[in-house]
Amino acid sequence: MAEKKLGAYICKGCGIGERLNTDQLANVATREGKMSFVKQHDFLCNSDGVAMIQADIDAGTVNHLVIAACSRRAKTDAFNFADVAISRANLREGIIWVRPATAEAQETTQEMAEDYIRMGCAEVKFINLPAASNEQSLVRHVLVVGGGFTGLTAALEIAKAGYQATIVEKSASLGGVAAQLHKRIPNCSPFAESQSNGIAELIAQVQGNNNITLHLNSTVTQTSGAPGRFEVKITQESGSTITANFGSIIQASGFKPYDATQLLEFAVGKSPDVVDQLGLEALARQANGGKIKRPSDGKAVQSVLFVQCAGQRSNKPGHLPYCSGHCCLTSVKQAMYFKDSDPNIDAMVVYTELRMPGAGGEDFYRSGQNKGITFTKGVVSEVIPNSGSLTVKFNDLILNEAVKQEFDLVVLATGMVPNSGVNIEEVVAAPEEDKTEAKTATAAPVETKLAAESILNLDYRQGPDIPQLVHGFTDSHFICFPYETRRTGIYAAGPVRRPMDMNQAAEDAAGAALKAIQALENAALGRAAHPRVGDLSFPQFRKEGCTQCKRCTVECPFGAINEDEKRYPLFNEARCRRCGTCMGACPVRVISFENYSVDTVGQAIKAVDMPDEFSEKPRILLLACENDAYPALDMAGMTRQEYSAFVRIIPVRCLGSVNTIWISDALNSGYDGIILMGCQKGDNYQCHFVKGSEIAHYRMSKIDDTLKQLKLETERVKTYEIAITDIQRVPQLINEMANTIAKIGMSPFKF
Amino acid sequence: MSQLNATKVEKYRNHFLREVEANVEEGHWVKMCMQCGVCSGSCPLGPYWEHPPQEIFMMIRAGKREEVLKSSSMWFCTSCYNCIARCPRELPITHIMHGLAHYAKRLGLAPQNQATPKFAQYFWDNLYNGGGRVNELKLGLSLYFMNGLVEGIKTALKMRKIGQGMYFSKRMNPFEIFGGHSCKDSQGLKAALNKAREIEEAKAAQFKG
C-alpha cells in the first residue's frame, strides 16, 4: 500500500461523551498518536457517522483509521470498510461500562481511555493490508478416502453441490461395515421398526453419478501440497499408480470392530454360539426374516442374551475405555430380529447403563419393550459353554442377586476401534534420522493393538496422518468444530473421529462435505479456513534473521510449516490457520503477519503512558485471546462488573501467538503485572487453534527465570485458562492482580 | 386354584409376564417400565413396601411369580396417584398395583395377616351378599369385631360419641342392622358378577401348569 494516511474517529454515543473528556482524547490522538486528523461524532455507528468515515476514505484522506468507540466485537457490520486498516479502541465495554461513574474514579478512568487511544494509534501505524498472493487456483474436486457409508454419503453430497468427488476404497467393494448389516436403526418417524440398510441404493446412486470417480482396491500412497492444491498418488493393488489434484480431502476411513477374542470370560472362540454384533448380522442375513439359527448345531434360537458394554467402558487392560455410542440401539434392533420372527422367543438385554442417542432413540427403545424384549441392569461375569446351551452368570443389579441362566445364543456388544492410521506423536518421538524407517516401524504401536498403516501418507514434516486426540480417534472438536482436523483442508467424518451410528455418520458426511467445499473455495482465494475464515493475512518471515531453530515448524498445530532444502521454514499459506503460534514461537521475532505482528502488539504495549513508581498508579498488561477471553471481558462490561482502572487489555489471535519477548519487554518498560488469558487446554480443549493455549502455558511456565533475572516477584505474571462463560471470573482475576501489586509494591523498572 | 399356584415359571422368560398381561388390569404396561425408579421415590409409603413398584415390574419380567403374588407390597398402595402423575413412561402404576393385588387374592396367594385384603374381603362380601349395596353399619361393626369380642367392644365404646352424633344428625340408622335395603334387581347384579368371575377364571386357567 502506498502512503499511510492516519485518522481517528471518536464516538460520543452510549454515554462515552458524558463519562470521558473526548476533547482531551482527541488531543492525545493528535499530539501523541500523531493522527493527521481526529473527528468526534455523537453517534458514530449510525448511518450519518458511517457515511462520514466512508466519505473520508473515498476522498483519500484516510486509509489507516482508529475508531474509538465500542469493542471490536460490536458493530462490526457498521464499521466494515473495505481496503482500509482499522484499529478499534474499546472505550465502551472496556472502560465506561467497567468503571464507576464517580468523581474520584474519573481521573483513572480518563487515563485508561487516553491509553487505549495511544494503543490504538500505535497499532494502526504498523498494520499493513494483507492481500492474496494470487498464486491460487480453484480445484473443484474433493478426495474421499473410504468407500463406506460415510464416504459414499459424503461423495454424493459433494456431487449434489456441483463439485467433483473421487472415492478411494481399499477393499474390492463399496459399503463398508454398513453393507454387512441385515437392517439399520430407523432414521425417520415413528422410529419403531428397523429399516433396510439402503446401501445397495446408495451404491447405485454413486455409480450412476457422473461427478463421482471410483477407485476400488486402491490406497492413498502419497498426499502432498496444501488445500486447493493437494497432489495425491492413488495406488491400485496391482501397483499401478495415478496422480491427481484435489482441492480438499475427507477422511472417512471408518472403524474396525473390537477384537472380541480377547474376552476370554465370555467364551468367545470356545463356543460358536457366542457372537459379536456383526456376527449376529451375518446370522440374520442368512435367516433373511426367518428364524435365526445358532451356528453350533443349526437349531432355531429360542432364547438369546445381549451383553452390553462387552470389553468397553472398562479400564481393564485390552478393553476400550470409551462408549461406542451405537451398541444399545443396535442390540434393540437385533433383539427385534428375533421378536419379529417369533414373539415367543425370549430376548433379553443386560446393560449397565442404557443409552439411546438420536432423535428417535427413546422411541425405538419403547418399541423394543413393546415387542417384549426384556431389559435388565446387570453385569455379566461369565459365559460357560455346555452341550446344547450356554450358561450365563450375571448379577442382576435391580433385584440385587446373582443369576445363572441358560441361553441358546449370546451376543456381545463390543465396541468400535477407529481406523485412524499412524499415531504421529509416536513417530515424532522416534529419532529424526530414521524418519522413513519409523513410518514402517509403527506398524505395531504400543497403545493400539491393531496394526496401523498410514491412511493418507501425508508428505508433511509432522507425520503421515492426522493427529489423534484420545483413544486413537482423529482430533476434531466434538462440539464446537466437528470434522475440522489439525491438517487444514482435510476433514474427518464418521466413526474415525468418534464412535457413532449410521444416522450420525450421515450428518457427519454432509457436514464434512460442506466444510471441504468451503475449504477449497477459500483456498482458491487465498483465504483462511476455520476459525479465521476469510482472513487474507499469512505469516511472513525475514530469512536473513532466521536461525533455523525449527521452533515454528515444530509448534505449528496445523503442520503448515515444512522445511526447505536449506532447512529454512517453508510456509504453506493454504494450510495456515493464521493463529500466529509461529510468531509467538520465534525467538528472533522474524515471523509476522501484515495486520498482526510483533510490532502491532509490541508498539501498543509500549504506547501506554507509564506513571512513575511513586504515583500509586500501577499498570497491568492483559493479553486476552480474542476467541473466548476477550468476549468474556466484553460481557463483564455488558453486565457492568467493575474492575481495576490500571489494566490495559490487548486482544491476541490466540495465546499461542504471544511471544515471551513481549512479556520481558513489558516488564522492562515498567509494567507491574501481566495477565495472560487463553482457552482451556488439554484433551477437553476449547482452544480454537487446538494447541495454542497449551503451548502458551508451556512457554509461560519458563517465564519465572526471566522474572528472577530481573529480580522481580514471580506473582507479577499469571496465565489463566478462561472459558467464554467466565464473565464473573475475569474481573476477579484482574482485581486479584491489582491487589497483589498493592501488596508486593510497584515495579522498579519505571523510567 | 392350588394347581395354578404351582405353575412352574422359568426365570427371565416371558411366561409370567404374559400371565400378568392376560389377567392383571393394565398388565400389558409392565413391559414398558424403564426402571428409572421415580415411582419408588415418589411413593409416600415407599419405605414400608417389601418391593417398590419398579422392583415389582422387574420381578415380573424376571419371572418371580410366587414372590410377586405373595408379596404384601401392592397391598400398601393408598391410591395417592403420585406414581402415575410422575411416571415418565406414563404407566398407570396405581392401577397395575391394584390389578396385581386383585389377581393374587383371586389365586389365594395374598398375605393372610395383612389388613388391606381382609378389609377388601369384608367390603366385597357385604356388597355381594347385601343386595348390591354396602351396608355401612354392618361393615363398620364387622371391622370393630375383626379382632375378637373384647377388642370390638373397646372400639365401639371409643367410637360412641361419633356414633351418637351420626345418629342424631340422621347419618346412621341403627335399624339397618336388621337387613337394610338393596338395589333394584339385586339377583341380576349377582348373576352378572358371577358371569364376570367365570370369564376371569377361564382366562387364568390358560396359565395352569
Side-chain angles (χ1 to χ4, degrees), chain A residues 99 105 108-109 111-112 618-619 643-648 734-735:
Chain A
R99 297 298 306 148
T108 50
T109 307
E111 283 175 4
M112 203 177 183
R619 290 291 175 254
Y643 56 73
S644 166
F646 302 131
V647 72
R648 303 291 177 262
I734 293 171
N735 293 336

Side-chain angles (χ1 to χ4, degrees), chain B residues 57-131:
Chain B
F57 296 146
M58 195 62 234
M59 287 163 77
I60 293 172
R61 300 189 316 205
K64 293 175 172 280
R65 186 174 188 276
E66 300 284 295
E67 280 155 280
V68 170
L69 294 176
K70 284 185 173 169
S71 163
S72 65
S73 296
M74 49 273 191
W75 295 100
F76 275 97
C77 175
T78 59
S79 304
C80 74
Y81 285 84
N82 236 358
C83 50
I84 291 198
R86 291 183 181 171
C87 176
R89 280 292 181 85
E90 300 176 333
L91 265 69
I93 301 167
T94 308
H95 302 168
I96 302 169
M97 288 303 136
H98 290 318
L100 278 170
H102 175 67
Y103 186 56
K105 182 83 174 73
R106 263 168 53 206
L107 298 181
L109 292 171
Q112 293 303 315
N113 38 15
Q114 228 273 349
T116 328
K118 259 190 209 169
F119 171 73
Q121 190 64 53
Y122 284 134
F123 187 91
W124 176 256
D125 291 346
N126 189 299
L127 178 123
Y128 183 74
N129 298 323

Side-chain angles (χ1 to χ4, degrees), chain A residues 104-150:
Chain A
E104 59 267 34
Q106 180 55 32
E107 187 192 338
T108 50
T109 307
Q110 177 72 20
E111 283 175 4
M112 203 177 183
E114 287 169 19
D115 270 348
Y116 276 127
I117 298 283
R118 289 184 191 105
M119 288 152 76
C121 295
E123 182 193 10
V124 82
K125 276 178 240 165
F126 289 89
I127 296 181
N128 296 313
L129 272 188
S133 61
N134 292 324
E135 286 164 6
Q136 301 82 4
S137 61
L138 179 59
V139 180
R140 295 165 61 91
H141 200 154
V142 181
L143 172 68
V144 179
V145 182
F149 176 72
T150 314

